[in-house]
Amino acid sequence: MSRVLQAYKEQEQAIRRVIAKYRSNIADIDDLAHEVFLTGFALELREEIRKPAHLLLRIAKNLSINETQRKINTTTVSIEDSGVLSVYTDERQHSPEDVVDGRRKLLVFSEALASLSPELRRAFVMKRVDGLKFDQIATRLNVSKSTVEKRVAKAMALCEEYIRSQGIEPAEFGIRSKRGRTGGRKRIARFGSKATQDKNEV
C-alpha cells in the first residue's frame, strides 16, 4: 500500500481538524480532505515521501489557506466581470453533480492506484501515465519485458477490483483487465480507450 494512503487513513481526522480551522462548511472540508490525499499521492508517484503524515498535514494547511484566499478574492470581483451570468446561459457548463461525481471517481481511482504494491504501481504509471513502452520500462526497472507485462496486467486487474468494490463500473474509466488473444498476439487494455495491440510492445 502507498505510504501516503496509509498515512492519510491514519491522519484523516487530524487533517480534517486542520482544514476546519479555515473552513467551517462540511462539504468544503470533505472536498479539501480529498484534495489533500490526491496532492500527496501525486507527489508520491514521482518521488519518495519520507514523512507522509507531516507532508499531508502541511498540504492540508496550505490548501485551506489558498482556498480561503481564493474565496475572498472571488467575492471582490464584480458579477459582470466574473462571468457568473454565463453559468446560467452556457449549456456546456458542467453541473455541480457532474463535478462532484468526477471528483469522487478521481479519488477512487487514486485510492485504487495507491493500494497497489510499489512494484505494480511503478510499472503501471510508467506505462499508462508516462506512456513508455514495455521494453523501455524493463530497462529502467532492470527486469524482463515479460515481468513488466505481467505487472501492468495485474495492476489493471487489481484496480478494476477496487473500483468495482466502490460501486463504480471500471468501464467508466476505460479499464479492462482481461487479456485475450487475436492472431496469437496478446492484447492489453489501454487506459481510457479500447484494448488495442501494440506491435512494438508485445
Side-chain angles (χ1 to χ4, degrees):
M1 177 186 291
S2 155
R3 294 184 65 194
V4 166
L5 177 58
Q6 183 176 351
Y8 177 78
K9 290 183 175 181
E10 294 172 352
Q11 300 293 327
E12 183 174 3
Q13 293 307 312
I15 289 170
R16 294 175 70 87
R17 284 196 295 271
V18 170
I19 298 172
K21 292 180 180 179
Y22 303 90
R23 310 299 307 166
S24 58
N25 185 282
I26 297 299
D28 287 345
I29 294 175
D30 289 341
D31 287 344
L32 283 173
H34 293 163
E35 192 169 347
V36 167
F37 164 70
L38 293 174
T39 302
F41 181 59
L43 290 173
E44 187 181 31
L45 289 176
R46 299 301 177 189
E47 59 186 86
E48 180 183 1
I49 306 299
R50 298 184 181 278
K51 297 180 179 180
H54 176 74
L55 172 69
L56 292 175
L57 291 172
R58 190 175 68 200
I59 291 174
K61 180 178 180 180
N62 291 341
L63 286 179
S64 299
I65 292 174
N66 291 342
E67 179 65 11
T68 299
Q69 188 61 47
R70 186 190 69 80
K71 287 184 177 294
I72 292 175
N73 291 339
T74 299
T75 59
T76 63
V77 179
S78 69
I79 293 179
E80 181 179 358
D81 292 338
S82 66
V84 170
L85 294 179
S86 66
V87 173
Y88 299 96
T89 58
D90 188 352
E91 295 180 352
R92 294 172 298 177
Q93 290 286 342
H94 294 294
S95 69
E97 291 78 12
D98 289 336
V99 173
V100 171
D101 184 58
R103 286 181 178 177
R104 176 173 177 267
K105 288 178 180 177
L106 176 60
L107 179 65
V108 168
F109 173 68
S110 297
E111 289 177 342
L113 201 55
S115 68
L116 299 174
S117 68
E119 292 79 11
L120 295 183
R121 184 168 60 249
R122 192 174 299 115
F124 183 90
V125 170
M126 285 183 174
K127 177 61 182 170
R128 304 305 173 187
V129 178
D130 297 336
L132 299 179
K133 296 180 179 180
F134 287 125
D135 287 336
Q136 294 173 308
I137 299 172
T139 299
R140 292 195 181 190
L141 299 181
N142 195 29
V143 297
S144 69
K145 177 181 174 182
S146 174
T147 296
V148 174
E149 292 174 343
K150 291 176 181 177
R151 287 181 181 179
V152 172
K154 186 173 182 179
M156 291 283 285
L158 291 174
C159 282
E160 178 180 352
E161 181 180 348
Y162 183 90
I163 290 169
R164 185 171 282 115
S165 74
Q166 300 302 306
I168 301 175
E169 279 301 312
E172 295 186 41
F173 294 88
I175 296 178
R176 291 182 181 179
S177 63
K178 294 182 179 180
R179 290 180 295 175
R181 289 181 180 273
T182 301
R185 303 177 71 87
K186 293 181 180 178
R187 294 165 64 88
I188 298 180
R190 288 190 62 84
F191 221 51
S193 63
K194 295 181 179 179
T196 57
Q197 290 183 353
D198 188 335
K199 62 183 179 181
N200 295 319
E201 298 172 346
V202 181

